[in-house]
Amino acid sequence: MEFLRHNQLSLMLFFSGSCSILAVLSFLTKSMPKKRRMCLVAIQAGAALLLMMDRYAYIYRGNVSQFGWWAVRVSNFLVFFLSLFLIYFFNLYLIDLYMREGKLPKVPKRLYAVGIFLALGAVLLVVNQFTGLYYAFDECNRYYRNKWFPVCYIIPYICLLMQFSVIVQYHNRLRPLVRIPLILFDLGPILSIVVQFFAYGISLQNLTIVGLVILLYIFVIVDMNKTVEHANNIKIEMLKQEQHKMHTLFEQTAEALATAIDAKDKYTHGHSARVAEYSKQIAAMAGKSEQECDEIYFAGLLHDIGKIGVPRKIINKEGRLTEEEFSEIKKHPVIGNQILSSIGESPYLSIGAHYHHERYDGRGYPEGLKGTDIPDIARIIAVADAYDAMTSKRSYRDPIPQQKVREEIVKGIDSQFDPFYAKMMLHLIDVDTEYKMKEYQEVRELAGKNELNCTKYRQEKSEGILLTDSITRIHMRSKANEKFICEDSIPTLILFDSLDARVHETEFKRKDLLYLEYATIRLDGKTECVTARKVESKVTKKLAGEADWVQEYKNGIDWDIETVRQKDHVMITVSNKFQTVQTVIALQYIACYSYISITGENCFISNVQVHNDSVPAKENLIPRIAEEISYLNGPEGDIPNVQVNGWRTAASEAITVKDGMDITFHSQSFVTARLIWHCPFISLFYSDDKKMNGKNFREFVLVRFDGETWDSDANAENTLVISKNNDFEGWDAWKDANRKGIDCKVSLRRNGKKITLVTENSGIFIKSVTVLKEDFPEVYVSLTGDQCALTNIRISK
């Protein structure tokens, strides 16, 4: 209290100036309703004047000059009057706030009563000037209270209590940031009035009111900013939604056009959509921005729009085209450019359509552009387009198997395709272990077929369903053909492998697509071992007695199938309401793929549902019925031998790279190795625990012995030199040599951040130079590969 008593004049001056500034700022604020804004201005200005008058009352107290006489009387009158003035405009502020934001249907009567009481208080204050009802002045021009002085506090006290009751009653109608200062603005003066009544000589009430006026302004501004921010967020969200709608409309329009284009050619259903998706994935891997990836997607979607101008009879011709017909086909890039160039907002669309048939060596069409003169978009679409064309059915051929397509892309590097983007496409193929990047006749559960109507055995077959180390669950319903009903009228599963994941019956197709059939499993438990090492079945009955199978097949029966593969064993579990049959098959080879195809005899198969678990099955789920296949029949060197059954499924112990180091080992590709990348790989990497894919794993380069590399980390720059000498007799001879077994030597040199790797095998010389962009404690090298056994690994310096 003493602090206030000694410093209140300075505080009054400070707060008065602050309120004056806030009054100006409130007046300039345009983001709140005008009536409420003017009330806030009146409150701020009134508070500034109140404190200034209260200050003058203290300054001129006891001054007996004529000016002092008037100053004391006018200032004291205005102090009492402005207190009522503030409560009045606060009342107006409340009325506007509750009617606008609180959505009250009508003004509470208590707020009207506040106005009446304030008017009464103003009248009594005027009466006081003539009667001394509240206060008077002595002969020394000093202010003193009269006996009716409490009345001048009771009136504002009652007004504040009525306002407070309204705020409490309707508190849920206002936001907290609005409600809190209102409560404080009423509650603070109510308490300060009580203290002020007993604390003479201190303007506690006025200082409290003015402090709360400032607080009210702060809360109003904070709430107003939040309201504006919320409004801006809504506006931004609306703009985003509008942009999303426009993007969706553009996408749907482009997809509709692409569908219309593909509809002209019965052999290219979904081609444009697949090319667009592959192109977008390549662009993303190449480090393109999200916007660039979207542009490439839409360019890929409309790359063949020029076919609208090509006669349908040429597009749908069975067999190969004549030179004249092919000349007509070659016009579609120009036509596509003419159609899309009118879309000035999206020039990338016409670029994709115009140049996607250009070749990297300059022998493409229509302009014969070469190398980087071909736009980026077109170079990406070119490799995606070629991939989908090869993996899709044509009038003159079946789809080419993915692994053969990969070899064709390898052959086309630097001639047909940009080597950088071709490399991205090869990586997409390598990670597509379930061969999802292909054409499907229909996207249905039965891998291309919605249902099967089987007459003769194996006449109708589904495409292959890949078996992995995660459980694949299949549900289906079968019903026998009543004309030929017997115990054989049920579905059968064919367990096989082939390059195109399809069952083939002719010897030519089986040889060309490396078809291998392991076994057939009829759903009643009867099996046939074809090339598998061993097949064992176990039947568990669920019901006592024998079922009338023929009648059940006639009525229709539901089947639930679970399949899983672990290493060289496959387990197929078939259940119906009568029994469960568990069949385990020991495969002939460990590295081949395995698929099941659904077929049958004199039965109708429907309601097929296929679901793959997202996590691998528990280890050793399949009971072993034959020894595990091992190709590690060579001697062991300085570190353990490694058998790599699939793409990088295993790796040697890590070896710390040292300058002048040589690594020698023997490599032998499996008998099932049929592709050029079924060979050893070398990985340069770092990890905290010295393990491949360990903690903080950073792979700097992956070098394959067929000459391909993969830059795995942005913190290294790699340069690769590949040459073929006179010992190279072609890729077929190279693959044969790897299957027979080759002795390999890898030389490593390290000079600070520069690591040079050199190897030569079966006529292919490889030199890889890796420059690290940052320091690492150590760099490690590890041997891995695909379908190969690495033995007798020795390290020397």
Side-chain angles (χ1 to χ4, degrees), residues 14 34 39 89-90 184 225 227 241 279 290 423 551 606 631 654 750-751 789 795:
F14 172 76
K34 182 178 179 181
C39 288
F89 276 98
F90 181 68
L184 293 176
N225 287 339
T227 303
Q241 290 178 2
S279 298
E290 185 176 350
K423 189 176 180 181
Q551 185 61 41
S606 61
Y631 295 97
R750 180 169 186 182
N751 183 9
I795 302 104

PDB file of all heavy atoms in Angstrom, residues 14 34 39 89-90 184 225 227 241 279 290 423 551 606 631 654 750-751 789 795:
ATOM      1  N   PHE A  14       1.665   6.999 -16.310  1.00  0.00           N
ATOM      2  CA  PHE A  14       2.051   5.907 -17.213  1.00  0.00           C
ATOM      3  C   PHE A  14       0.825   5.212 -17.801  1.00  0.00           C
ATOM      4  O   PHE A  14       0.705   5.010 -19.015  1.00  0.00           O
ATOM      5  CB  PHE A  14       2.922   4.903 -16.465  1.00  0.00           C
ATOM      6  CG  PHE A  14       3.215   3.653 -17.249  1.00  0.00           C
ATOM      7  CD1 PHE A  14       4.150   3.661 -18.289  1.00  0.00           C
ATOM      8  CD2 PHE A  14       2.540   2.470 -16.974  1.00  0.00           C
ATOM      9  CE1 PHE A  14       4.404   2.511 -19.017  1.00  0.00           C
ATOM     10  CE2 PHE A  14       2.787   1.325 -17.696  1.00  0.00           C
ATOM     11  CZ  PHE A  14       3.722   1.339 -18.723  1.00  0.00           C
ATOM     12  N   LYS A  34     -18.130  -2.409 -35.655  1.00  0.00           N
ATOM     13  CA  LYS A  34     -17.927  -0.979 -35.402  1.00  0.00           C
ATOM     14  C   LYS A  34     -18.428  -0.566 -34.020  1.00  0.00           C
ATOM     15  O   LYS A  34     -17.748   0.175 -33.296  1.00  0.00           O
ATOM     16  CB  LYS A  34     -18.647  -0.160 -36.471  1.00  0.00           C
ATOM     17  CG  LYS A  34     -18.452   1.338 -36.323  1.00  0.00           C
ATOM     18  CD  LYS A  34     -19.142   2.091 -37.451  1.00  0.00           C
ATOM     19  CE  LYS A  34     -18.949   3.602 -37.280  1.00  0.00           C
ATOM     20  NZ  LYS A  34     -19.636   4.363 -38.346  1.00  0.00           N
ATOM     21  N   CYS A  39     -17.085   1.265 -28.537  1.00  0.00           N
ATOM     22  CA  CYS A  39     -17.183   1.082 -27.080  1.00  0.00           C
ATOM     23  C   CYS A  39     -15.799   0.911 -26.480  1.00  0.00           C
ATOM     24  O   CYS A  39     -15.480   1.478 -25.417  1.00  0.00           O
ATOM     25  CB  CYS A  39     -18.052  -0.130 -26.752  1.00  0.00           C
ATOM     26  SG  CYS A  39     -19.814   0.125 -27.060  1.00  0.00           S
ATOM     27  N   PHE A  89     -20.121   2.176 -20.841  1.00  0.00           N
ATOM     28  CA  PHE A  89     -19.655   1.697 -22.150  1.00  0.00           C
ATOM     29  C   PHE A  89     -19.248   0.223 -22.108  1.00  0.00           C
ATOM     30  O   PHE A  89     -19.350  -0.480 -23.113  1.00  0.00           O
ATOM     31  CB  PHE A  89     -18.507   2.577 -22.662  1.00  0.00           C
ATOM     32  CG  PHE A  89     -18.998   3.808 -23.357  1.00  0.00           C
ATOM     33  CD1 PHE A  89     -19.069   5.026 -22.680  1.00  0.00           C
ATOM     34  CD2 PHE A  89     -19.442   3.760 -24.673  1.00  0.00           C
ATOM     35  CE1 PHE A  89     -19.548   6.154 -23.306  1.00  0.00           C
ATOM     36  CE2 PHE A  89     -19.918   4.899 -25.302  1.00  0.00           C
ATOM     37  CZ  PHE A  89     -19.981   6.103 -24.637  1.00  0.00           C
ATOM     38  N   PHE A  90     -18.821  -0.225 -20.927  1.00  0.00           N
ATOM     39  CA  PHE A  90     -18.582  -1.659 -20.794  1.00  0.00           C
ATOM     40  C   PHE A  90     -19.898  -2.417 -20.905  1.00  0.00           C
ATOM     41  O   PHE A  90     -19.956  -3.521 -21.466  1.00  0.00           O
ATOM     42  CB  PHE A  90     -17.909  -1.958 -19.456  1.00  0.00           C
ATOM     43  CG  PHE A  90     -17.600  -3.423 -19.232  1.00  0.00           C
ATOM     44  CD1 PHE A  90     -16.633  -4.079 -19.986  1.00  0.00           C
ATOM     45  CD2 PHE A  90     -18.294  -4.142 -18.274  1.00  0.00           C
ATOM     46  CE1 PHE A  90     -16.365  -5.420 -19.786  1.00  0.00           C
ATOM     47  CE2 PHE A  90     -18.025  -5.489 -18.069  1.00  0.00           C
ATOM     48  CZ  PHE A  90     -17.058  -6.134 -18.817  1.00  0.00           C
ATOM     49  N   LEU A 184     -12.826 -10.762 -15.188  1.00  0.00           N
ATOM     50  CA  LEU A 184     -11.857  -9.959 -14.437  1.00  0.00           C
ATOM     51  C   LEU A 184     -12.259  -8.492 -14.374  1.00  0.00           C
ATOM     52  O   LEU A 184     -12.080  -7.831 -13.343  1.00  0.00           O
ATOM     53  CB  LEU A 184     -10.471 -10.102 -15.087  1.00  0.00           C
ATOM     54  CG  LEU A 184      -9.816 -11.486 -14.991  1.00  0.00           C
ATOM     55  CD1 LEU A 184      -8.497 -11.500 -15.754  1.00  0.00           C
ATOM     56  CD2 LEU A 184      -9.585 -11.881 -13.536  1.00  0.00           C
ATOM     57  N   ASN A 225      -6.868 -11.834 -33.120  1.00  0.00           N
ATOM     58  CA  ASN A 225      -5.833 -12.447 -33.957  1.00  0.00           C
ATOM     59  C   ASN A 225      -6.128 -13.915 -34.201  1.00  0.00           C
ATOM     60  O   ASN A 225      -5.937 -14.431 -35.309  1.00  0.00           O
ATOM     61  CB  ASN A 225      -4.459 -12.296 -33.298  1.00  0.00           C
ATOM     62  CG  ASN A 225      -3.937 -10.873 -33.376  1.00  0.00           C
ATOM     63  OD1 ASN A 225      -4.376 -10.094 -34.222  1.00  0.00           O
ATOM     64  ND2 ASN A 225      -3.011 -10.533 -32.487  1.00  0.00           N
ATOM     65  N   THR A 227      -9.078 -15.258 -34.143  1.00  0.00           N
ATOM     66  CA  THR A 227     -10.236 -15.306 -35.042  1.00  0.00           C
ATOM     67  C   THR A 227      -9.808 -15.074 -36.487  1.00  0.00           C
ATOM     68  O   THR A 227     -10.246 -15.783 -37.407  1.00  0.00           O
ATOM     69  CB  THR A 227     -11.269 -14.241 -34.627  1.00  0.00           C
ATOM     70  OG1 THR A 227     -11.651 -14.462 -33.262  1.00  0.00           O
ATOM     71  CG2 THR A 227     -12.506 -14.316 -35.511  1.00  0.00           C
ATOM     72  N   GLN A 241      -8.753 -27.048 -50.851  1.00  0.00           N
ATOM     73  CA  GLN A 241      -9.806 -27.937 -51.341  1.00  0.00           C
ATOM     74  C   GLN A 241     -10.148 -27.641 -52.791  1.00  0.00           C
ATOM     75  O   GLN A 241     -10.357 -28.553 -53.602  1.00  0.00           O
ATOM     76  CB  GLN A 241     -11.044 -27.814 -50.457  1.00  0.00           C
ATOM     77  CG  GLN A 241     -10.870 -28.393 -49.060  1.00  0.00           C
ATOM     78  CD  GLN A 241     -12.105 -28.217 -48.201  1.00  0.00           C
ATOM     79  OE1 GLN A 241     -13.127 -27.685 -48.645  1.00  0.00           O
ATOM     80  NE2 GLN A 241     -12.024 -28.644 -46.948  1.00  0.00           N
ATOM     81  N   SER A 279       6.585 -44.115 -64.733  1.00  0.00           N
ATOM     82  CA  SER A 279       7.330 -42.878 -64.984  1.00  0.00           C
ATOM     83  C   SER A 279       7.452 -42.053 -63.705  1.00  0.00           C
ATOM     84  O   SER A 279       8.511 -41.490 -63.410  1.00  0.00           O
ATOM     85  CB  SER A 279       6.642 -42.052 -66.077  1.00  0.00           C
ATOM     86  OG  SER A 279       6.597 -42.751 -67.305  1.00  0.00           O
ATOM     87  N   GLU A 290       8.125 -33.119 -56.009  1.00  0.00           N
ATOM     88  CA  GLU A 290       6.763 -33.677 -56.060  1.00  0.00           C
ATOM     89  C   GLU A 290       5.993 -33.116 -57.252  1.00  0.00           C
ATOM     90  O   GLU A 290       5.262 -33.847 -57.924  1.00  0.00           O
ATOM     91  CB  GLU A 290       6.034 -33.367 -54.754  1.00  0.00           C
ATOM     92  CG  GLU A 290       4.647 -34.006 -54.658  1.00  0.00           C
ATOM     93  CD  GLU A 290       3.976 -33.761 -53.319  1.00  0.00           C
ATOM     94  OE1 GLU A 290       4.645 -33.261 -52.403  1.00  0.00           O
ATOM     95  OE2 GLU A 290       2.774 -34.066 -53.204  1.00  0.00           O
ATOM     96  N   LYS A 423      18.671 -47.277 -65.561  1.00  0.00           N
ATOM     97  CA  LYS A 423      19.133 -47.846 -64.300  1.00  0.00           C
ATOM     98  C   LYS A 423      18.040 -47.776 -63.226  1.00  0.00           C
ATOM     99  O   LYS A 423      17.854 -48.706 -62.439  1.00  0.00           O
ATOM    100  CB  LYS A 423      20.376 -47.087 -63.851  1.00  0.00           C
ATOM    101  CG  LYS A 423      21.098 -47.689 -62.672  1.00  0.00           C
ATOM    102  CD  LYS A 423      22.365 -46.889 -62.408  1.00  0.00           C
ATOM    103  CE  LYS A 423      23.120 -47.461 -61.241  1.00  0.00           C
ATOM    104  NZ  LYS A 423      24.339 -46.702 -60.950  1.00  0.00           N
ATOM    105  N   GLN A 551     -22.236 -85.695 -53.045  1.00  0.00           N
ATOM    106  CA  GLN A 551     -23.377 -84.827 -52.750  1.00  0.00           C
ATOM    107  C   GLN A 551     -22.907 -83.439 -52.320  1.00  0.00           C
ATOM    108  O   GLN A 551     -23.499 -82.422 -52.694  1.00  0.00           O
ATOM    109  CB  GLN A 551     -24.244 -85.459 -51.641  1.00  0.00           C
ATOM    110  CG  GLN A 551     -25.522 -84.694 -51.341  1.00  0.00           C
ATOM    111  CD  GLN A 551     -26.451 -84.594 -52.533  1.00  0.00           C
ATOM    112  OE1 GLN A 551     -26.624 -85.567 -53.291  1.00  0.00           O
ATOM    113  NE2 GLN A 551     -27.034 -83.413 -52.756  1.00  0.00           N
ATOM    114  N   SER A 606     -15.745 -70.105 -57.711  1.00  0.00           N
ATOM    115  CA  SER A 606     -16.160 -68.703 -57.592  1.00  0.00           C
ATOM    116  C   SER A 606     -15.815 -68.173 -56.205  1.00  0.00           C
ATOM    117  O   SER A 606     -15.268 -68.891 -55.363  1.00  0.00           O
ATOM    118  CB  SER A 606     -17.669 -68.574 -57.848  1.00  0.00           C
ATOM    119  OG  SER A 606     -18.394 -69.329 -56.875  1.00  0.00           O
ATOM    120  N   TYR A 631      24.780 -75.541 -51.489  1.00  0.00           N
ATOM    121  CA  TYR A 631      25.763 -75.512 -52.572  1.00  0.00           C
ATOM    122  C   TYR A 631      27.163 -75.212 -52.024  1.00  0.00           C
ATOM    123  O   TYR A 631      28.096 -74.983 -52.800  1.00  0.00           O
ATOM    124  CB  TYR A 631      25.379 -74.441 -53.590  1.00  0.00           C
ATOM    125  CG  TYR A 631      24.073 -74.729 -54.305  1.00  0.00           C
ATOM    126  CD1 TYR A 631      22.886 -74.152 -53.880  1.00  0.00           C
ATOM    127  CD2 TYR A 631      24.028 -75.586 -55.401  1.00  0.00           C
ATOM    128  CE1 TYR A 631      21.683 -74.409 -54.516  1.00  0.00           C
ATOM    129  CE2 TYR A 631      22.828 -75.853 -56.050  1.00  0.00           C
ATOM    130  CZ  TYR A 631      21.661 -75.258 -55.603  1.00  0.00           C
ATOM    131  OH  TYR A 631      20.481 -75.524 -56.244  1.00  0.00           O
ATOM    132  N   ALA A 654      31.683 -58.668 -42.829  1.00  0.00           N
ATOM    133  CA  ALA A 654      32.263 -57.420 -43.322  1.00  0.00           C
ATOM    134  C   ALA A 654      33.784 -57.439 -43.152  1.00  0.00           C
ATOM    135  O   ALA A 654      34.307 -57.960 -42.166  1.00  0.00           O
ATOM    136  CB  ALA A 654      31.664 -56.239 -42.577  1.00  0.00           C
ATOM    137  N   ARG A 750      42.846 -47.648 -51.193  1.00  0.00           N
ATOM    138  CA  ARG A 750      42.211 -46.537 -50.494  1.00  0.00           C
ATOM    139  C   ARG A 750      43.220 -45.421 -50.272  1.00  0.00           C
ATOM    140  O   ARG A 750      44.326 -45.643 -49.770  1.00  0.00           O
ATOM    141  CB  ARG A 750      41.633 -46.972 -49.148  1.00  0.00           C
ATOM    142  CG  ARG A 750      40.974 -45.806 -48.405  1.00  0.00           C
ATOM    143  CD  ARG A 750      40.161 -46.206 -47.219  1.00  0.00           C
ATOM    144  NE  ARG A 750      39.463 -45.045 -46.685  1.00  0.00           N
ATOM    145  CZ  ARG A 750      38.687 -45.061 -45.606  1.00  0.00           C
ATOM    146  NH1 ARG A 750      38.490 -46.185 -44.944  1.00  0.00           N
ATOM    147  NH2 ARG A 750      38.092 -43.951 -45.195  1.00  0.00           N
ATOM    148  N   ASN A 751      42.814 -44.217 -50.657  1.00  0.00           N
ATOM    149  CA  ASN A 751      43.611 -43.015 -50.433  1.00  0.00           C
ATOM    150  C   ASN A 751      42.691 -41.964 -49.823  1.00  0.00           C
ATOM    151  O   ASN A 751      42.017 -41.218 -50.523  1.00  0.00           O
ATOM    152  CB  ASN A 751      44.216 -42.524 -51.756  1.00  0.00           C
ATOM    153  CG  ASN A 751      45.116 -41.317 -51.553  1.00  0.00           C
ATOM    154  OD1 ASN A 751      45.428 -40.941 -50.411  1.00  0.00           O
ATOM    155  ND2 ASN A 751      45.537 -40.703 -52.642  1.00  0.00           N
ATOM    156  N   ALA A 789      26.934 -69.340 -54.822  1.00  0.00           N
ATOM    157  CA  ALA A 789      27.639 -69.789 -53.625  1.00  0.00           C
ATOM    158  C   ALA A 789      29.052 -69.225 -53.663  1.00  0.00           C
ATOM    159  O   ALA A 789      29.754 -69.359 -54.669  1.00  0.00           O
ATOM    160  CB  ALA A 789      27.664 -71.303 -53.558  1.00  0.00           C
ATOM    161  N   ILE A 795      41.558 -63.070 -47.660  1.00  0.00           N
ATOM    162  CA  ILE A 795      41.947 -61.655 -47.668  1.00  0.00           C
ATOM    163  C   ILE A 795      43.462 -61.585 -47.554  1.00  0.00           C
ATOM    164  O   ILE A 795      44.062 -62.220 -46.673  1.00  0.00           O
ATOM    165  CB  ILE A 795      41.300 -60.900 -46.489  1.00  0.00           C
ATOM    166  CG1 ILE A 795      39.762 -61.026 -46.555  1.00  0.00           C
ATOM    167  CG2 ILE A 795      41.695 -59.433 -46.516  1.00  0.00           C
ATOM    168  CD1 ILE A 795      39.209 -61.996 -45.561  1.00  0.00           C
TER     169      ILE A 795
END
